[in-house]
Amino acid sequence: MRIVIAGASGLIGTHMSAAFRDAGHDVVSLVRRGPASSTEVRWNPAAGELDPKALAGADAVVNLSGAGIGDRPWTRRRIDELLSSRLDSTRTLTRAMRQLDSPPPVFISQSGANYYGDAGNTVLRENAPQGAGTLARICGEWETAAATAPPGVRVVLPRTAVVLSRSGGALGRLLPLIRLGVGGPLGNGRQYWPWITLPDVSAAFLFLLNSPLSGPVNLCAPEETDMNALVAALAKALHRPAALRVPAPVLRLVMRDLADELLLASQRMEPDLLSSAGFTWQHPTLAQAAQWVAGKE
């Protein structure tokens, strides 16, 4: 397949591009700078600029574009940037598709588990309602923008969980502390954190390229866990203690709204559609995931 990826330079995009190529696919990356090779095409999503020819003949378009959620404090300006970076890129892609006589048949456009907001202990399958909060609103508008793809295009909206990787990602700041033995759960630790390892994210997108699934798809591991269990598993795999809990008031003082929505919110998400479609996880259990993160697999 010929696959065009927007957002290929990030943590997920870099791994995914390599996984797609290893599977025998041709990957074209959309970049904001001058192209460095024939596998790159320049675009400017903020200005809505993309030559539709870049998508001509593609079998699928994968959209991972968007400013980092936890990279900076949530000022009003930053929140606007989080939303606009996602909507601009998605609308630029769908607009280019609509200008083609034969648009790519598949459009996989990233969303997030935060679509469900803070849902407590409620089990969240794909038909669960949209939650409240900034991130839920961003995910909802992001998905709506993806739905403007031309008729006949199969649109898939992976609501991706917390991605566990050996460096960077959601555990980018917590993992080094755990390695040093000074990490611990955030808040009371009873909030559900849906999770998935980085290799399983790439494998799931590969699966979705050829599966008949469309619309929202919960992208998480089948084993649910709360923050306490997640940190304990990582600490055990790294042979480190993890007793230094960070109280919620401290997190709110340091991170403001970001703490409640990104760290303390609870999403008991279940990968109902992926499971039913026959997807096989490389790391289906937290113990296996922790061993992989610790480099022991």
Side-chain angles (χ1 to χ4, degrees), residues 65-243:
S65 289
I69 294 291
D71 295 355
R72 303 178 196 169
W74 276 11
T75 60
R76 186 179 298 275
R77 181 175 179 179
R78 181 58 176 174
I79 290 173
D80 288 344
E81 185 179 357
L82 295 178
L83 180 60
S84 63
S85 65
R86 286 160 172 76
L87 298 189
D88 290 347
S89 58
T90 306
R91 289 167 178 165
T92 298
L93 290 169
T94 59
R95 188 182 305 115
M97 288 184 212
R98 292 196 301 270
Q99 295 178 53
L100 295 172
D101 292 334
S102 298
V106 182
F107 182 38
I108 305 181
S109 188
Q110 181 75 285
S111 184
N114 303 102
Y115 174 90
Y116 300 111
D118 185 357
N121 294 330
T122 302
V123 175
L124 303 169
R125 300 183 182 89
E126 285 83 356
N127 60 355
Q130 182 177 351
T134 298
L135 292 180
R137 177 175 62 87
I138 288 174
C139 288
E141 293 193 36
W142 200 4
E143 293 184 7
T144 298
T148 63
V153 174
R154 179 169 62 90
V155 178
V156 189
L157 306 167
R159 291 174 179 163
T160 305
V162 173
V163 177
L164 304 185
S165 73
R166 290 171 174 166
S167 62
L171 297 179
R173 296 177 184 176
L174 181 60
L175 196 57
L177 297 178
I178 295 176
R179 290 185 190 278
L180 292 170
V182 293
L186 306 176
N188 62 27
R190 293 193 293 272
Q191 67 271 35
Y192 282 92
W193 264 34
W195 60 272
I196 187 169
T197 62
L198 185 57
D200 277 336
V201 172
S202 295
F205 271 69
L206 271 170
F207 181 84
L208 291 170
L209 286 173
N210 295 298
S211 117
L213 293 176
S214 63
V217 176
N218 286 349
L219 219 68
C220 61
E223 183 177 294
E224 64 182 34
T225 186
D226 63 16
M227 183 68 178
N228 285 328
L230 176 63
V231 171
L234 291 171
K236 180 180 180 181
L238 292 165
H239 303 291
R240 293 290 187 272

